[in-house]
Amino acid sequence: MTDRTGDAEVDALIGREQLRRTRSLQLIASETEPSAGVRTAMASVFDTKYAEGYPGARYHGGCEVVDDVERLAIDRARELFDAPYANVQPNSGSAAGVAVYAAFAQPGDPVLALRLDQGGHQTHGSRANFSGRWFSPLHYGVRTSDERIDYDQVRDLALVHRPRILVAGGAAYSRFYDFAVLREIADEAECVLWVDAAHLAGLVAAGVAASPMPYADVVTVSTNKVLRGPRGGLILAPGRHRVVLDKAVFPFVQGGTAMNAIAGKAVAFAEAATPEFAAYVRTAVANAAALSAALTERGLRIVSGGTDTHLAVVDVTSLDLTGVEAQRRLDAAGIVVDKAVLPFDTRPVSQGSAVRIGTPSVTLAGLGTQDMPLLADWIVEALRSPVGSRDDGGPHARIRGQITDLPAG
């Protein structure tokens, strides 16, 4: 164990988490590992500096250094994404989303987004979330034929309901979006086009996915996913939205921001502009495609027939499993995934009929496309085996041992 706090109980928990990670494969699509530089910035003296406001206009003294840190992060974000405007203050991707609502909508306004049970995100209209309580959510979906977004349905809904905001993006949709078509629809319906690029931003930075910047009125980013930054958010937009978005972040949504996270974002944005970062993202996407293909060869169906990105949704109904049970069996084998629902799933969301997989973390651990068939073998064997004792010597224990024996990346 390398991290020490001086608190024995917390140190023990840190050690347990480090051990869990070394003894399992992390296939959580929204997780990755920040670089040593990002971790250093997060643990720096900036952690304790209060800095309400913006550079040059703070509500606290002693902000001359953090002003420079924030300006540096802004400049790097703008250059990385070719964006006229960047706000690096949001404390999370969800907080960035709240600011978008605050900037462009009023309570009760209709907002059109991808259905939550077909890949959308809870901040796009879940009744359990502020977005579904404070606004009037409308949802488009995917086609039954290919499980890809039905852009004709998007247009029809937008023209009938005239939403204030049209949202593109989600948590479990593995295909690229047609931003040009969405821009046309937004123009026809006279609404704001918001691209929630929480999962896509790292791919855009690496040149693997098309940028939404030429099409969107506003783009939000979670800096802690594929981008490998600290947990936090980012807003990108044309310059004409600067004033309304700045006011929406501060003072409407947040007070003092996490300056250590902003320092970490500055490091991450610089790293994301390197050839090494682009190579990591290309490998993560290639791994997702290879793993999807290998699972298909072994009899499992991948939603939409595959993936364009670092994530995929795997249908487990052919094994007569729920998503919850599939997640439990894989966890017993040291393969960590999220339960998920299928488009048009007949099971409740709490159970689901699928699992969501993602390859950023295993890519950073050193796995390549040549390793995906073996990983698929482990996944299928674990899914087909009921869970016994974790130490009963059965298939789950054997797979855990093989994972532990993998060379470090």
Side-chain angles (χ1 to χ4, degrees):
M1 184 173 68
T2 57
D3 295 336
R4 298 284 184 178
T5 68
D7 184 310
E9 291 180 289
V10 173
D11 282 343
L13 292 168
I14 292 173
R16 282 176 55 195
E17 175 63 8
Q18 290 174 329
L19 189 62
R20 181 192 71 82
R21 295 189 186 199
T22 60
R23 292 183 174 180
S24 59
L25 290 175
Q26 314 308 310
L27 287 176
I28 305 295
S30 55
E31 289 183 357
T32 189
E33 289 292 326
S35 70
V38 170
R39 288 189 184 276
T40 298
M42 289 293 290
S44 71
V45 67
F46 292 123
D47 181 44
T48 59
K49 184 66 191 115
Y50 221 107
E52 282 187 335
Y54 288 100
R58 304 287 190 183
Y59 287 75
H60 300 274
C63 289
E64 56 271 15
V65 180
V66 294
D67 279 0
D68 287 344
V69 168
E70 185 165 341
R71 290 189 184 105
L72 180 64
I74 290 169
D75 289 344
R76 289 179 174 180
R78 291 178 58 199
E79 183 175 2
L80 180 64
F81 293 105
D82 193 20
Y85 164 85
N87 190 309
V88 298
Q89 290 198 5
N91 290 327
S92 68
S94 294
V98 177
V100 170
Y101 286 110
F104 296 112
Q106 294 295 322
D109 280 349
V111 176
L112 178 59
L114 179 62
R115 286 175 60 110
L116 277 68
D117 58 359
Q118 296 186 9
H121 193 267
Q122 65 174 357
T123 56
H124 301 164
S126 167
R127 292 294 184 183
N129 182 260
F130 80 93
S131 57
R133 294 189 183 188
W134 293 354
F135 301 96
S136 299
L138 304 163
H139 290 107
Y140 57 86
V142 300
R143 295 182 291 258
T144 56
S145 58
D146 60 3
E147 296 173 314
R148 300 191 186 211
I149 289 174
D150 185 341
Y151 290 99
D152 290 335
Q153 183 187 63
V154 178
R155 176 176 277 104
D156 290 343
L157 288 169
L159 294 179
V160 169
H161 297 282
R162 299 285 173 168
R164 186 69 188 92
I165 301 175
L166 170 60
V167 188
Y173 183 72
S174 65
R175 297 298 185 174
F176 291 148
Y177 296 82
D178 192 330
F179 296 128
V181 169
L182 291 167
R183 179 70 265 165
E184 291 175 2
I185 295 171
D187 287 342
E188 291 175 28
E190 299 180 309
C191 62
V192 170
L193 176 58
W194 164 25
V195 175
D196 184 342
H199 280 278
L200 287 176
L203 280 63
V204 172
V208 174
S211 172
M213 285 306 304
Y215 307 99
D217 293 294
V218 61
V219 176
T220 56
V221 173
S222 292
T223 55
N224 50 291
K225 293 189 169 75
V226 181
L227 203 55
R228 295 194 68 192
R231 183 164 293 278
L234 168 68
I235 301 175
L236 306 166
R240 65 182 181 274
H241 297 315
R242 176 186 307 275
V243 173
V244 68
L245 285 167
D246 273 355
K247 289 181 178 180
V249 174
F250 175 83
F252 190 86
V253 173
Q254 295 181 178
T257 191
M259 293 309 306
N260 61 326
I262 288 180
K265 292 172 189 179
V267 174
F269 298 151
E271 292 176 344
T274 64
E276 292 79 11
F277 178 86
Y280 138 71
V281 175
R282 285 195 299 269
T283 303
V285 171
N287 280 344
L291 181 55
S292 296
L295 290 170
T296 300
E297 291 172 359
R298 287 154 180 77
L300 292 177
R301 189 183 74 85
I302 307 300
V303 169
S304 79
T307 178
D308 297 327
T309 68
H310 61 289
L311 66 87
V313 178
V314 184
D315 184 346
V316 296
T317 55
S318 63
L319 300 175
D320 197 28
L321 296 176
T322 65
V324 168
E325 178 61 18
Q327 178 182 328
R328 189 172 80 94
R329 291 188 181 190
L330 291 171
D331 183 69
I335 301 170
V336 185
V337 302
D338 292 322
K339 67 177 176 64
V341 296
L342 297 172
F344 314 105
D345 207 329
T346 57
R347 289 193 173 111
V349 173
S350 60
Q351 293 293 311
S353 299
V355 293
R356 184 186 70 161
I357 59 175
T359 52
S361 289
V362 294
T363 300
L364 290 171
L367 274 63
T369 54
Q370 72 279 0
D371 301 303
M372 295 302 106
L374 176 59
L375 179 51
D377 285 338
W378 287 341
I379 289 172
V380 171
E381 184 176 5
L383 288 174
R384 288 176 174 166
S385 305
V387 177
S389 167
R390 291 185 69 90
D391 301 310
D392 63 2
H396 297 96
R398 177 173 49 77
I399 294 168
R400 285 202 313 276
Q402 291 174 307
I403 288 171
T404 302
D405 291 339
L406 285 173

